[in-house]
């Protein structure tokens, strides 16, 4: 509607309430629906991915002010737009492998396109990036002090028939003035060489083997993190990113819709939501419990077309 409206020149999206931009979709509600066979498990992902695609293909300039927590679904409603403005309060993560899901909402498109293997690392470990690091990783396009956002918003709205260029110029001028953490080096800088070599393996088993062989404190920490994640999710995610690296956003979202429905049919998503969000015991019992037990056939199955139920964009 906004795209076709001659009165709309610019779309700005921001969070309410100060703490988060958007911390993600309500997976608890989806898990409850899945347990009773409610069609929300189909409709929620379908509508979400259609929205992600609408943002990714939007002709009007789209500015996301990602001030605060930006995770999962919050990444989906920001990262595909033209501009993403991070602040010192931004906290980015795609923590889905910890709840038996995968970094969806087009994660298979934008994550493998980040420099080196950063996207694979973020996707598999759920590592959190803060503040200026969100810009340095290539997720945000600009960095502005949080307290300057109201002024920025006012200036954006005051632009007369703004073009993408006008908006970029204005964002750049705010970006240049921000000095917060300017001197700090990128949090992953010292580990980039390791991330690029360790996470370039073709299989999860190989990544784990490489991490064990490396044996550095960094590698051991990653092993610890990965060992807590759903083995099924890890395998699905690695393949999702490897395939998504050369696909269009539309094809990625179609693929991810198939994966979402595979997760809704499975065990780990419900168990992950239970362990992290309901009982909060943080001890999910994954099935299968080991990477070796997740067969290639099972993973292949998750990627199969759904016929008439496929996502149509």
């Amino acid at each position: 509607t906004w795209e076709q409206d001659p009165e709309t020149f610019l779309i700005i999206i921001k969070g309410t309430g100060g703490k988060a931009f958007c911390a993600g979709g309500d997976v608890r509600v989806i898990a409850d629906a899945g347990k009773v066979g409610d069609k929300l498990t189909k409709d929620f992902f379908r509508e979400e991915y259609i929205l992600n695609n609408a943002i990714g293909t939007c002709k009007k300039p789209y500015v996301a002010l990602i001030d605060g927590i930006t995770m999962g679904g919050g990444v989906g409603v920001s990262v595909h737009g033209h501009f993403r403005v991070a602040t010192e309060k931004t906290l980015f993560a795609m923590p889905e492998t910890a709840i038996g899901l995968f970094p969806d909402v087009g994660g298979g498109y934008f994550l493998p396109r980040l420099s080196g293997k950063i996207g694979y690392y973020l996707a598999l470990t759920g590592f959190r990036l803060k503040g200026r690091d969100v810009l340095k990783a290539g997720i945000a396009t600009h960095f502005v002090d949080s307290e300057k956002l109201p002024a920025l918003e006012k200036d954006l709205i005051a632009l007369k028939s703004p073009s993408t260029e006008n908006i970029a110029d204005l964002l750049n001028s705010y970006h240049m003035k921000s000095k917060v953490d300017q001197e700090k080096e990128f949090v992953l800088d010292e580990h980039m060489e390791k991330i690029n070599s360790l996470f370039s393996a073709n299989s999860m088993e190989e990544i784990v083997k490489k991490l064990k062989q490396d044996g550095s404190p960094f590698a051991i920490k990653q092993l610890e993190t990965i060992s807590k994640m759903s083995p099924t999710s890890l395998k699905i995610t690695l393949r999702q990113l490897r395939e998504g690296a050369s696909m269009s956003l539309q094809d990625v979202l179609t693929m991810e819709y198939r994966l979402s429905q595979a997760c809704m049919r499975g065990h780990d998503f419900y168990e992950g939501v239970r362990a992290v969000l309901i009982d909060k015991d943080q001890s999910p019992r994954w099935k299968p419990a080991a990477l070796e037990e997740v067969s290639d056939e099972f993973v292949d199955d998750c990627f199969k077309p759904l016929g008439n139920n496929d996502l149509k964009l």
Side-chain angles (χ1 to χ4, degrees):
T1 305
W2 289 337
E3 200 158 23
Q4 282 152 20
D5 175 20
E7 300 294 300
T8 301
F9 298 104
L10 162 67
I11 300 157
I12 299 172
I13 181 169
K14 58 180 180 172
T16 67
K19 190 179 175 189
F21 164 70
C22 168
D26 194 341
V27 287
R28 195 169 166 168
V29 166
I30 301 161
D32 289 343
K35 284 180 204 151
V36 295
D38 187 302
K39 68 183 189 27
L40 182 70
T41 54
K42 296 180 174 65
D43 298 346
F44 175 86
F45 291 101
R46 178 172 277 120
E47 286 179 18
E48 186 178 24
Y49 297 177
I50 288 170
L51 174 63
N52 300 147
N53 183 56
I55 294 166
T57 56
C58 187
K59 304 272 186 292
K60 304 267 170 91
Y62 186 97
V63 181
L65 305 174
I66 53 170
D67 187 33
I69 301 165
T70 306
M71 295 184 184
V75 177
V77 292
S78 56
V79 79
H80 303 298
H82 301 99
F83 303 107
R84 284 90 61 194
V85 182
T87 74
E88 72 280 7
K89 292 182 184 167
T90 306
L91 176 63
F92 165 97
M94 292 298 272
E96 287 81 359
T97 54
I99 55 160
L101 215 50
F102 58 97
D104 62 335
V105 296
Y109 182 80
F110 83 88
L111 287 163
R113 285 167 172 78
L114 298 176
S115 70
K117 294 289 170 188
I118 288 181
Y120 291 79
Y121 172 68
L122 295 173
L124 297 168
T125 65
F127 183 81
R128 297 172 165 206
L129 290 169
K130 298 183 180 86
R132 209 177 269 271
D133 288 333
V134 179
L135 172 82
K136 290 179 178 164
I139 294 151
T141 56
H142 295 81
F143 184 89
V144 173
D145 300 2
S146 183
E147 59 175 25
K148 296 283 195 304
L149 287 183
L152 171 62
E153 204 179 322
K154 227 167 114 186
D155 285 349
L156 281 168
I157 293 164
L159 287 171
K160 295 279 172 271
S161 64
S163 64
T164 308
E165 289 72 33
N166 296 134
I167 292 163
D169 290 343
L170 180 59
L171 291 173
N172 288 339
S173 73
Y174 270 81
H175 174 85
M176 299 309 283
K177 285 185 202 128
S178 174
K179 301 285 179 262
V180 181
D181 292 337
Q182 212 176 21
E183 305 307 310
K184 258 168 110 174
E185 69 163 301
F186 179 42
V187 67
L188 295 175
D189 254 357
E190 54 177 320
H191 306 302
M192 266 333 289
E193 217 173 299
K194 281 197 193 301
I195 288 172
N196 291 342
S197 68
L198 298 168
F199 287 85
S200 62
N202 298 333
S203 70
M204 272 316 302
E205 288 90 340
E206 211 181 314
I207 289 176
V208 167
K209 193 176 141 195
K210 282 181 147 191
L211 287 166
K212 282 180 177 159
Q213 283 170 345
D214 184 275
S216 63
F218 175 75
I220 290 163
K221 202 171 164 196
Q222 306 324 309
L223 272 174
E224 266 171 38
T225 302
I226 284 172
S227 70
K228 295 189 177 93
M229 304 305 189
S230 154
T232 301
S233 290
L234 290 168
K235 286 208 166 174
I236 287 175
T237 298
L238 183 60
R239 176 155 162 199
Q240 169 206 0
L241 266 59
R242 288 172 61 85
E243 298 206 357
S246 57
M247 286 167 130
S248 68
L249 176 60
Q250 289 70 37
D251 288 344
V252 165
L253 290 167
T254 302
M255 165 178 76
E256 291 181 356
Y257 187 71
R258 292 167 184 168
L259 297 177
S260 76
Q261 296 312 294
C263 291
M264 295 303 105
R265 294 192 299 269
H267 164 274
D268 280 5
F269 169 65
Y270 302 98
E271 174 59 11
V273 170
R274 180 205 66 74
V276 175
L277 297 170
I278 298 171
D279 300 340
K280 299 190 177 167
D281 57 29
Q282 311 299 333
S283 329
R285 289 180 283 283
W286 305 122
K287 281 185 200 158
L291 284 168
E292 295 68 32
E293 294 165 21
V294 183
S295 70
D296 290 347
E297 292 73 42
F298 177 82
V299 176
D300 288 345
D301 221 39
C302 297
F303 284 80
K304 282 198 176 121
L306 300 170
N308 289 335
N309 294 324
D310 257 335
L311 179 69
K312 291 162 195 70
L313 294 170

